[in-house]
Amino acid sequence: MMRSTRALWPAFALAACAGNPQPAQPDAVGGADRPAATTAAPVAAAATPAARPSAPVTIPVDYYTLDNGLRVVLSQDNSAPTATVAVYYNIGFRIEPRDRTGFAHLFEHMMFQGSENLGKNEFIQLVQNNGGNLNGSTRFDFTNYFEIVPSNALETMLWAEADRMRGLAITEENLTNQQGVVMNEVKVNVLNQPYGGFPWIDLPMAANENWHNAHNFYGDLEHLQAATLDDVRLFFEQYYAPNNAALVVVGDFEPARTKAWIEQYFGDIPAVELAPQPDIGEPRQTAEKRHTRVDPQANRPALALGYKAPESGTPEYYALGVIEQILSAGRDSWLYQSLVQDQALTGSVSSSMNPLGNMHNIDGPTLYQVWLFHDSDRTADQIVAAIDEQIGRLQAAPVDQETLDRALVKIRSGLYSMLESGFGRADLLASFALFDDDPQKINRLEAEFRKVTPELIQRVAREYLRNTNRTIVTVEPASAS
């Protein structure tokens, strides 16, 4: 099934039209940069209704846990001589300690600075010299690292990942260097970037009550500047242990031999007593919130709406995923048709339930987000009224079966685009292992979406797309204020 080693992000979130500013993203280290979530491959605009769904594809999943707590998922696919190795650590933006903002991101950089047997940047050279590519990123609930390499380099990659999990080179020189790199990155990607942090930082900060969901995910520059060597060593010991991680291998490999390598290289890395997980729950929102930010570098206004989503994995959560397809995904979506085609209020509409990934690789409260950029002769209230009109259609009556079927076709297209990619498959398997201890969930996703009924869509639209459950963020150019 895997035909390409190019890392693809899913089609659940997309920009409906190119040419507009996109939200700033966390960095990508080395190798091939991944596309932003909002520029994922567009779903088929001309998708036809699924009168008779074809049989789902079953992804092979071999899941087990080493004695030290490392969760391991193997998913064999011999259609191409490549292998993807992914290591996900259960530490992301919103579960980092209060006095360590930015540490999750800082560590994404530190992990490429050397380990017991690899010098500075030699990890990157090792992958590239073997004909592979790699990346690392920090997300809301995890920090991940992955390599896509020719199959014959699999053992080398497992050794290298184990080497840095076992002993990172935490030195004063590396820390000082990466503090500077990360702080410069914040300045370049957010502080000095038009629309920097819009909407993926702006909306959560305005919408959420819990600090973990509402702080500046890139981190406080003072915290980063004040980090000591002991702080960094403690963070590594607490969060970069095997019992706080999931290792996934996808692609062309021999299972028994691969398991032996994993045991050989990772098996004797000691487990640690993990730090307690913070409560990241959010109270039910009962009043609309509005926030405006003046951006001296923006050249026209921007508008984002965020609706608090149901709990992940519930029938309501899958129903909201279907609603996103109907309302805001692709050029056949109701918002695109109304706001772009009919009323010319904007040139595009973007949406996501996780702007830094997809609706499945997030573990906790999230927002269904819709955002757009518009000319100054269109007002935010005018656009919000047009959005309300389309949401009102969902709330007034159940959608017809043809509309639901069309949404399911788009979901299926996006899902299989993900599974076709070695990284896309590894990303879901690692997330489900880390969050749910259940990577087999990957084989139940399509069925969960197919359980969604028109009546459930209507109930979810009424409860979760109500005005009192939303936050509106506007960005105004300084010249307009």
Side-chain angles (χ1 to χ4, degrees):
M1 186 168 180
M2 187 170 79
R3 300 184 183 87
S4 168
T5 59
R6 177 172 172 260
L8 294 176
W9 275 110
F12 291 123
L14 80 163
C17 184
N20 274 316
Q22 295 298 328
Q25 301 289 326
D27 62 323
V29 178
D33 288 346
R34 91 184 43 162
T38 52
T39 56
V43 294
T48 54
R52 182 183 299 171
S54 51
V57 172
T58 299
I59 301 298
V61 177
D62 185 355
Y63 182 46
Y64 63 101
T65 303
L66 299 188
D67 290 343
N68 59 13
L70 178 67
R71 283 154 279 196
V72 180
V73 189
L74 305 181
S75 183
Q76 195 177 23
D77 178 352
N78 297 322
S79 60
T82 62
T84 299
V85 176
V87 182
Y88 280 49
Y89 292 92
N90 187 30
I91 178 65
F93 293 128
R94 65 176 169 187
I95 47 181
E96 60 191 4
R98 277 179 177 265
D99 57 351
R100 296 289 183 267
T101 63
F103 265 51
H105 180 212
L106 175 65
F107 254 85
E108 178 200 321
H109 288 253
M110 291 292 292
M111 288 290 279
F112 291 91
Q113 297 309 302
S115 52
E116 285 187 358
N117 294 290
L118 289 172
K120 189 180 181 70
N121 294 323
E122 287 185 358
F123 189 102
I124 295 172
Q125 293 170 14
L126 185 67
V127 175
Q128 294 178 337
N129 289 342
N130 276 282
N133 60 52
L134 72 163
N135 216 326
S137 61
T138 313
R139 297 297 184 243
F140 293 102
D141 302 301
F142 58 77
T143 306
N144 67 353
Y145 308 88
F146 71 90
E147 304 84 46
I148 303 171
V149 295
S151 307
N152 61 6
L154 173 58
E155 182 184 7
T156 302
M157 294 305 107
L158 293 171
W159 169 84
E161 284 290 3
D163 195 57
R164 60 180 176 178
M165 181 186 289
R166 183 188 308 277
L168 194 64
I170 301 175
T171 66
E172 196 70 54
E173 179 188 356
N174 286 342
L175 174 59
T176 302
N177 178 271
Q178 293 311 303
Q179 281 172 312
V181 169
V182 171
M183 288 192 288
N184 281 334
E185 184 182 313
V186 174
K187 293 172 185 173
V188 169
N189 286 353
V190 180
L191 301 179
N192 296 322
Q193 180 74 231
Y195 309 99
F198 175 82
W200 73 275
I201 292 178
D202 290 322
L203 261 180
M205 289 184 71
N208 291 318
E209 303 292 330
N210 187 328
W211 176 89
H212 287 285
N213 303 314
H215 71 280
N216 177 358
F217 302 127
Y218 251 126
D220 189 319
L221 294 184
E222 291 183 2
H223 285 175
L224 288 169
Q225 185 67 56
T228 68
L229 214 53
D230 286 342
D231 295 335
V232 175
R233 286 196 181 106
L234 181 61
F235 193 90
F236 180 74
E237 290 168 3
Q238 283 186 323
Y239 297 108
Y240 277 72
N243 51 328
N244 200 44
L247 165 67
V248 177
V249 180
V250 170
D252 179 37
F253 60 84
E254 199 286 309
R257 188 167 53 183
T258 300
K259 287 183 178 181
W261 288 333
I262 291 171
E263 180 63 40
Q264 178 183 351
Y265 298 125
F266 290 90
D268 64 348
I269 301 175
V272 302
E273 185 176 347
L274 298 176
Q277 287 289 297
D279 177 5
I280 59 172
E282 284 288 328
R284 184 176 188 269
Q285 188 168 336
T286 57
E288 182 180 273
K289 300 178 182 179
R290 293 201 178 218
H291 173 75
T292 296
R293 172 163 69 88
V294 176
D295 186 340
Q297 300 174 84
N299 58 9
R300 59 181 182 146
L303 170 70
L305 294 82
Y307 297 84
K308 285 187 177 172
E311 183 179 351
S312 176
T314 62
E316 290 79 10
Y317 190 72
Y318 291 109
L320 188 57
V322 175
I323 286 175
E324 188 200 354
Q325 299 299 317
I326 297 170
L327 205 55
S328 52
R331 298 191 175 198
D332 66 335
S333 68
W334 292 3
L335 289 183
Y336 186 88
Q337 290 295 314
S338 173
L339 274 64
V340 179
Q341 297 287 82
D342 299 340
Q343 303 184 63
L345 294 171
T346 179
S348 69
V349 178
S350 300
S351 71
S352 179
M353 289 174 65
N354 174 12
L356 302 184
N358 59 70
M359 65 179 288
H360 306 296
N361 65 4
I362 190 165
D363 186 33
T366 188
L367 302 166
Y368 166 48
Q369 304 181 20
V370 175
W371 67 94
L372 53 89
F373 303 85
H374 62 94
D375 292 337
S376 299
D377 61 351
R378 307 289 197 269
T379 69
D381 286 344
Q382 192 179 5
I383 295 169
V384 170
I387 293 173
D388 282 344
E389 183 179 353
Q390 300 308 312
I391 290 175
R393 293 172 61 190
L394 290 170
Q395 295 169 329
V399 297
D400 58 46
Q401 192 61 44
E402 183 178 348
T403 299
L404 175 55
D405 286 343
R406 184 180 292 275
L408 292 175
V409 168
K410 293 197 289 186
I411 285 173
R412 196 167 201 263
S413 171
L415 177 61
Y416 284 100
S417 289
M418 249 190 300
L419 299 181
E420 189 177 48
S421 146
F423 173 71
R425 184 188 301 193
D427 176 63
L428 289 186
L429 290 170
S431 298
F432 295 150
L434 211 55
F435 302 157
D436 307 304
D437 195 26
D438 182 17
Q440 283 287 359
K441 191 175 174 181
I442 198 171
N443 288 316
R444 301 195 298 273
L445 288 178
E446 190 174 355
E448 294 296 338
F449 284 112
R450 292 201 174 279
K451 292 177 186 175
V452 174
T453 65
E455 292 73 23
L456 180 58
I457 288 174
Q458 184 185 24
R459 288 202 303 274
V460 168
R462 287 177 172 176
E463 168 58 21
Y464 292 96
L465 301 186
R466 56 188 159 80
N467 294 357
T468 52
N469 188 44
R470 76 179 175 199
T471 300
I472 298 174
V473 168
T474 54
V475 175
E476 294 181 356
S479 58
S481 63

